[in-house]
Amino acid sequence: MKKFLSALTIASVTLFASSKANWSYSGKIGPDYWGDLSHDYIMCKVGKNQSPIDISKAVNASLTPLNIYYNVKAKTFLNNGHTLKAKMKDGAKLYIDGKEFKLIQFHFHTPSENTIDGKYYPMEAHFVHSTKGGELAVVGVMFKIGKFNPAIQKLIDNMPKKVGEKKDICQTSLKAKDLLPKSLEYFRFNGSLTTPPCSEGVRWFVLKEPVEVSKEQVRAFESVMGKNNRPLQNLNARVILK
Ligand SMILES: [Zn+2]
């Protein structure tokens, strides 16, 4: 009997751990409850280096210029029910801390997740990179209301409006570099994924200069994604470098 019970326990734990619990940005499965939805999401609740954060009181440091190679096309544009995400063709890279990070995908949040000196931007893009060993780095780009943005329009013209829908965007020739501002000066800090499982150990680089986008263009993203930004998290013992 005892043997049977422990086998049962192991089976149910395995089942629970392997299930990807559903989550959202509001209500009963919203950000306040992410850590309770699955054992896999525990860091959302107990983590001390969580993202996003308010970027203020940054400390001056001699940061190396961001060494990125983004002259590579995006392949597909997916609506996964949480964000609009563009997957990249191979070859886009970020070199930092003596390591090579491959750009996997970029996606969007409306409004921004991180804030700068307490200020929210209407949209933020996250460029998500990984080393071969699975270390993660995210480059954050803020968008502010201004001029019409032709690169962003390529995405809007191919927007997957239904959850689960995926568009082939190779023919648009949109490259990751088309979404970057002129200056690559950045703030640096340690953080996490901003969605479950909220894994920590993520290197964050948020660019200081925002990219311009028209009000209608932000509205186009917002109308599909809704409000998809996690609330600000405590800085705790972390330092922000500039
Ligand atoms: Zn993100």
Side-chain angles (χ1 to χ4, degrees):
M1 184 63 181
K2 199 175 171 192
K3 203 171 187 179
F4 171 73
L5 271 181
S6 59
L8 195 72
T9 310
I10 290 164
S12 64
V13 165
T14 309
L15 191 72
F16 187 49
S18 65
S19 72
K20 280 192 178 170
N22 194 22
W23 55 271
S24 77
Y25 284 101
S26 60
K28 287 277 187 325
I29 54 169
D32 288 350
Y33 306 102
W34 287 355
D36 301 316
L37 299 175
S38 158
H39 289 312
D40 289 350
Y41 300 172
I42 191 74
M43 288 311 283
C44 303
K45 187 159 82 173
V46 304
K48 294 281 182 247
N49 298 296
Q50 290 287 293
S51 289
I53 55 163
D54 177 43
I55 301 166
S56 57
K57 300 193 184 89
V59 174
N60 281 312
S62 53
L63 296 174
T64 54
L66 213 51
N67 187 1
I68 53 185
Y69 178 78
Y70 274 8
N71 196 13
V72 174
K73 284 188 210 169
K75 190 166 63 175
T76 56
F77 198 31
L78 167 76
N79 180 338
N80 69 5
H82 301 300
T83 188
L84 290 162
K85 176 159 82 174
K87 281 236 172 100
M88 296 299 299
K89 289 193 169 185
D90 279 344
K93 301 274 166 62
L94 159 69
Y95 301 92
I96 194 90
D97 301 341
K99 294 180 186 194
E100 181 183 288
F101 291 80
K102 178 181 167 186
L103 175 62
I104 314 286
Q105 49 101 342
F106 60 85
H107 62 265
F108 297 88
H109 298 271
T110 48
S112 68
E113 294 209 293
N114 294 294
T115 57
I116 300 178
D117 290 327
K119 178 186 150 81
Y120 277 97
Y121 286 80
M123 184 158 86
E124 181 176 353
H126 290 156
F127 295 82
V128 182
H129 312 71
S130 174
T131 62
K132 281 210 177 89
E135 286 181 67
L136 298 175
V138 179
V139 172
V141 175
M142 297 298 185
F143 288 83
K144 69 170 185 186
I145 302 300
K147 288 197 298 274
F148 174 85
N149 185 317
I152 282 292
Q153 192 60 35
K154 289 181 178 177
L155 292 171
I156 294 170
D157 291 342
N158 291 280
M159 199 160 261
K161 293 196 176 137
K162 279 179 283 181
V163 173
E165 193 184 351
K166 184 158 85 175
K167 297 269 178 100
D168 183 327
I169 55 167
C170 291
Q171 82 291 348
T172 68
S173 297
L174 175 72
K175 292 174 172 176
K177 73 174 170 73
D178 301 338
L179 296 173
L180 296 179
K182 263 192 217 114
S183 164
L184 295 181
E185 279 189 42
Y186 61 91
F187 299 102
R188 177 178 184 162
F189 48 90
N190 291 324
S192 72
L193 299 179
T194 65
T195 57
C198 307
S199 321
E200 296 193 336
V202 179
R203 290 165 167 87
W204 273 90
F205 306 91
V206 173
L207 302 190
K208 290 181 182 175
E209 186 187 340
V211 170
E212 288 189 31
V213 67
S214 75
K215 203 181 270 179
E216 292 69 30
Q217 290 182 307
V218 170
R219 211 171 284 148
F221 274 80
E222 220 168 32
S223 70
V224 175
M225 302 192 301
K227 183 183 174 306
N228 66 341
N229 68 333
R230 186 188 192 193
L232 291 170
Q233 304 294 303
N234 288 326
L235 192 60
N236 298 317
R238 287 174 285 178
V239 179
I240 303 167
L241 303 178
K242 66 175 175 190

